[in-house]
Amino acid sequence: MIKSIAHLGPKGTYSEVATLIYAQNLEAETGMETELVPYPNIAQTLLAVADGRADVAVVPVENSIQGIVSMTLDSLWELDGLQIQQGLTLPVVHNFLSRGNSLEGIKTVYSHPQALAQCQKWLDKHTPEARLVAANSTTEALQVVNHDPTAGAIASLRAAQLYDLPIKEANINDYPDNCTRFWVVSKDKREDGDYVSLGFSFEKNKPGVLVKPLQIFAENHINLTRIESRPTKRSLGEYLFFIDLQKKDSKKELNIALSDLSSLTKTLKIFGNYNVLNIDYSQCEKLSI
């Protein structure tokens, strides 16, 4: 049996790096063969699992510098039946790739909006006159960069090797401890794990509407590790809320909290129970081309 794994493509993205390491671990633990399937954006990556075209998806959810990846949360809310199986934390080291002779001659810089934002200070200092062009991924525009010496891109070491592009400057992150958290998502439900992610909406947003849900978790001594709001897209000022929490050894407090929360909300979705694997950068460097 071959397990198909969807990810944001094309080859060389940080999503592909995280997916390759997940696939290697899965093959080592289970002996199962895997096939990586790239998709042009995060929404299509998750839709592939929802539609049954892929068994698993690996998608970015949060960056330590730029925060939440909104498309992942929005898609997970809109698509039914998807469950988080595992979390992956990947160290992100950005590099500036170009065939130009010098940084002074760079007129255009391509990359994913998150990567551009994570290197904004470096770009302002070294390529202040360059036009920044957002792409669907860090590798989408590398073919253009390979044929234009006035263009550059921000991408991974693996991308530089895959597309045979020189690294003009390595490790250009504005902050050294840059990392991105990914979720491994499938249709299978997992009952164990140290973390739980959920989302909920209210019948009507009004002052203090979020106080009671937060009190429920506090009263049951459950630690919240993240809380985000996203617009419902129905009306200005209406929001969905997403929460990550750490489970206690006993499931009793969590079950009580979720039962109480369900009575307060219009829609409550439990996205999954899971553990988080912290990936070391040396694992990224060892990936074969």
Side-chain angles (χ1 to χ4, degrees):
M1 179 180 176
I2 299 177
K3 176 167 283 194
S4 58
I5 309 176
H7 66 88
L8 176 63
K11 286 186 176 182
T13 62
Y14 295 98
S15 291
E16 190 218 21
V17 171
T19 305
L20 282 167
I21 293 173
Y22 167 73
Q24 287 178 354
N25 290 343
L26 184 66
E27 291 176 4
E29 291 172 3
T30 67
M32 183 179 296
E33 291 184 57
T34 59
E35 176 189 20
L36 273 62
V37 185
Y39 285 87
N41 59 53
I42 293 169
Q44 290 189 40
T45 302
L46 288 169
L47 184 60
V49 177
D51 286 351
R53 288 174 285 124
D55 299 310
V56 176
V58 178
V59 291
V61 64
E62 183 180 18
N63 177 261
S64 59
I65 297 174
Q66 285 299 304
I68 203 68
V69 180
S70 58
M71 187 178 289
T72 296
L73 291 187
D74 292 348
S75 298
L76 201 60
W77 178 266
E78 292 167 5
L79 297 170
D80 291 326
L82 298 181
Q83 289 282 298
I84 303 164
Q85 301 297 308
Q86 187 177 15
L88 304 168
T89 301
L90 179 78
V92 173
V93 177
H94 291 305
N95 305 282
F96 190 80
L97 282 51
S98 178
R99 291 213 173 274
N101 294 323
S102 67
L103 295 177
E104 288 77 12
I106 299 298
K107 296 180 180 179
T108 311
V109 179
Y110 298 91
S111 200
H112 188 276
Q114 284 259 346
L116 293 171
Q118 291 162 27
C119 303
Q120 187 63 58
K121 293 180 181 179
W122 186 92
L123 291 168
D124 288 344
K125 181 179 179 180
H126 295 91
T127 60
E129 304 300 323
R131 181 170 62 100
L132 306 184
V133 179
N136 284 323
S137 71
T138 52
T139 57
E140 184 182 59
L142 292 191
Q143 295 289 3
V144 174
V145 175
N146 224 336
H147 296 91
D148 183 358
T150 69
I154 296 172
S156 66
L157 169 64
R158 176 174 168 80
Q161 295 169 338
L162 282 168
Y163 294 87
D164 191 27
L165 269 165
I167 295 177
K168 293 300 182 182
E169 192 81 33
N171 198 355
I172 65 170
N173 306 347
D174 288 339
Y175 300 93
D177 296 325
N178 187 15
C179 60
T180 295
R181 186 159 59 101
F182 293 81
W183 280 339
V184 179
V185 178
S186 77
K187 287 185 175 181
D188 298 325
K189 189 172 183 179
R190 178 174 175 171
E191 297 295 342
D192 61 331
D194 295 332
Y195 295 89
V196 177
S197 292
L198 54 91
F200 54 87
S201 64
F202 297 104
E203 191 69 45
K204 182 182 292 185
N205 283 335
K206 55 186 178 181
V209 72
L210 194 56
V211 172
K212 287 185 179 179
L214 296 181
Q215 285 178 334
I216 288 172
F217 291 116
E219 289 167 359
N220 286 281
H221 309 287
I222 296 172
N223 183 39
L224 305 184
T225 60
R226 182 179 62 87
I227 181 168
E228 298 281 345
S229 64
R230 291 290 301 151
T232 62
K233 300 178 177 61
R234 294 194 304 265
S235 177
L236 185 64
E238 288 192 6
Y239 296 94
L240 311 170
F241 296 92
F242 296 86
I243 286 178
D244 292 348
L245 56 89
Q246 284 182 301
K247 286 173 60 177
K248 296 174 68 69
D249 293 334
S250 171
K251 294 182 180 179
K252 181 179 178 181
E253 293 90 343
L254 178 61
N255 290 336
I256 292 172
L258 294 179
S259 177
D260 292 345
L261 181 61
S262 179
S263 67
L264 293 175
T265 57
K266 178 183 178 182
T267 305
L268 172 63
K269 292 189 175 186
I270 310 300
F271 297 125
N273 296 259
Y274 57 95
N275 291 319
V276 176
L277 172 66
N278 294 314
I279 298 171
D280 188 84
Y281 186 65
S282 62
Q283 294 176 267
C284 306
E285 293 180 307
K286 291 176 183 177
L287 290 175
S288 58
I289 303 302

